[in-house]
Amino acid sequence: LFHPWFLLESCGSGHNEAFLVLALAFMLERLVRDRWAAATFAFGLAVLTKHGCAPLGPLLLALAVRQRRVRPFLGGLAVTILVTALLAWHYFASPGALEFLAKQTESRGTSLQHFLGLALGPAAQQPMLLTGYALTLVLLAVASARARSMVSFAGGGITLLILFIV
């Protein structure tokens, strides 16, 4: 978190990755200490900061089920939902407040899919997108089936997020 390049990029360029990494680090710390409600809430804060880490959610749930920690997991999820509802009510109640979401889906100019679409033609974009989704879901299923410890959760989560981002 305190690496100079990371600080320069997140603070100097106004990116929110520092908050995302801080929330994920707090999630892992709370998991190691068997504080599942706080870990789940920290994960919720990470997702609210940047939704790219959302695929870790089913993996976290699978680990909670295997370690018999579903009740505190649901407690953390409830707090996350409450915070989300309060923030949505406060910030997104105005008409047109969520129009920025539609614009985000149009921004694909730097994705691997976009570059391959330029190279292979526009007809290749949809099959590549569906293939990427399918691979992500398969890897999510495999990682969830293997999530039995912090080590398997972390390893599966890293692999899953790399594939999801690509």
Side-chain angles (χ1 to χ4, degrees):
L1 284 176
F2 299 105
H3 191 280
W5 290 110
F6 189 77
L7 288 173
L8 178 66
E9 179 64 20
S10 59
C11 300
S13 300
H15 291 266
N16 58 1
E17 282 81 6
F19 296 119
L20 169 74
V21 172
L22 180 63
L24 289 176
F26 185 56
M27 175 195 74
L28 291 173
E29 187 271 339
R30 294 286 82 191
L31 283 175
V32 167
R33 296 185 190 282
D34 198 32
R35 303 289 186 204
W36 278 84
T40 305
F41 179 62
F43 172 70
L45 292 177
V47 172
L48 288 172
T49 303
K50 201 161 194 137
H51 63 276
C53 65
L56 290 177
L59 213 59
L60 186 61
L61 175 59
L63 186 62
V65 168
R66 292 222 171 69
Q67 294 192 354
R68 294 184 169 90
R69 305 300 286 153
V70 174
R71 206 172 243 171
F73 173 90
L74 292 175
L77 180 62
V79 173
T80 302
I81 290 170
L82 177 64
V83 168
T84 303
L86 290 172
L87 290 172
W89 173 66
H90 182 75
Y91 290 106
F92 299 124
S94 328
L98 296 174
E99 288 179 9
F100 71 95
L101 290 174
K103 293 179 182 176
Q104 282 186 343
T105 60
E106 297 168 2
S107 178
R108 296 183 182 190
T110 59
S111 69
L112 179 61
Q113 174 194 354
H114 177 75
F115 288 124
L116 288 174
L118 290 174
L120 303 174
Q125 285 185 341
Q126 189 67 20
M128 285 187 296
L129 182 64
L130 293 175
T131 301
Y133 286 152
L135 288 173
T136 301
L137 289 174
V138 167
L139 185 57
L140 176 60
V142 169
S144 294
R146 292 182 177 172
R148 300 194 185 288
S149 67
M150 283 299 300
V151 173
S152 59
F153 170 77
I158 289 168
T159 306
L160 177 64
L161 288 182
I162 289 171
L163 176 64
F164 182 70
I165 291 167
V166 169

